[in-house]
Amino acid sequence: MTNPQWTEVDDYFTDTIAPADDALTAALADSTAAGLPEIAVAPNQGKLLQLLARMQGARNILEIGTLGGYSTIWLARALPADGRLVTLEYDPAHADVARANIARAGLDKIVEVRTGAALDSLPQLEAEGAGPFDLVFIDADKVNNPHYVTWALKLSRPGTVIIVDNVVRNGRIATPHPDDPAITGTRDMFDLVAREPRLDATAFQTVGTKGYDGLLLARVTA
């Protein structure tokens, strides 16, 4: 579901207050050239992630779902020089593109791209004592959203912010769709968040260059 006016407004916002630079433009171009799906966050959404990380005072960020590293760059730019961002990518080819994009942006010293299934990498992070993370951005396979939020909680502290992308599913999230694992996984995630006393959360719908979608935003309270 798209609307030309949504794109026009997004372009105005981006050009006015969230302009791209060479590293971000090249990250998108190289991702497209490598055949990655064009599902990265929109520029103004990337800026939103960056602002949330800065307002959080984040020093340690976890991203689940790297793709070509576009959102990774936005988030990593919010970190101090001694900060750290760990991003998890299932596809080795995608991870290679992301590493090149991150290095070109000058962020390879504070960003680590780990390859493999996130549900394998997350227990490893716990075993290494990598947390607690100050902010977790989840933008991976939607069927595993409840598992990713569970792990985000394990690797969090009181005050950690958890963001989950693509939760509206073109408006279909409001009713069960047993034939769509992405919707089922996302609805299961909402059920988990609703009954989890350690999470204070909301969700909202968005429109723009990425069509009709939305985000879940949660804060760990205990």
Side-chain angles (χ1 to χ4, degrees):
M1 184 184 298
T2 59
N3 181 311
Q5 190 171 32
W6 299 348
T7 299
E8 181 182 1
V9 173
D10 257 10
D11 289 345
Y12 170 73
F13 289 158
T14 298
D15 293 343
T16 306
I17 57 175
D21 56 32
D22 290 345
L24 289 167
T25 300
L28 290 178
D30 285 4
S31 296
T32 298
L36 274 62
E38 296 186 12
I39 55 174
V41 299
N44 53 337
Q45 294 170 343
K47 185 64 177 289
L48 172 64
L49 294 174
Q50 185 182 94
L51 286 171
L52 289 171
R54 283 180 172 158
M55 288 188 285
Q56 174 71 350
R59 305 181 66 85
N60 203 15
I61 294 175
L62 172 64
E63 179 182 50
I64 303 175
T66 315
L67 196 63
Y70 183 74
S71 57
T72 317
I73 293 170
W74 280 109
L75 285 165
R77 286 177 170 176
L79 289 169
D82 61 346
R84 182 192 186 203
L85 189 155
V86 179
T87 182
L88 311 179
E89 174 53 45
Y90 177 79
D91 190 310
H94 294 182
D96 287 344
V97 173
R99 290 188 183 99
N101 287 333
I102 291 162
R104 181 172 45 222
L107 297 166
D108 49 316
K109 298 294 189 296
I110 61 173
V111 175
E112 178 188 2
V113 181
R114 295 198 179 193
T115 307
L119 293 180
D120 293 332
S121 299
L122 289 162
Q124 295 171 1
L125 287 172
E126 182 185 41
E128 295 167 12
F133 291 94
D134 305 308
L135 184 145
V136 182
F137 178 49
I138 300 170
D139 189 11
D141 57 306
K142 311 310 172 186
V143 67
N144 282 312
N145 272 340
H147 302 300
Y148 296 147
V149 169
T150 297
W151 272 105
L153 265 172
K154 290 181 180 180
L155 295 167
S156 71
R157 59 167 176 80
T160 292
V161 170
I162 300 171
I163 305 163
V164 186
D165 199 10
N166 307 130
V167 301
V168 171
R169 315 309 303 165
N170 279 319
R172 300 177 72 212
I173 191 64
T175 55
H177 290 271
D179 59 330
D180 190 328
I183 292 176
T184 299
T186 303
R187 284 176 62 89
D188 288 347
M189 181 269 297
F190 272 105
D191 290 343
L192 183 156
V193 171
R195 66 175 182 265
E196 175 51 68
R198 293 171 294 170
L199 287 176
D200 188 15
T202 190
F204 52 91
Q205 302 172 78
T206 62
V207 297
T209 59
K210 297 298 178 180
Y212 174 35
D213 213 328
L215 297 168
L216 176 135
L217 181 64
R219 181 175 182 269
V220 180
T221 60

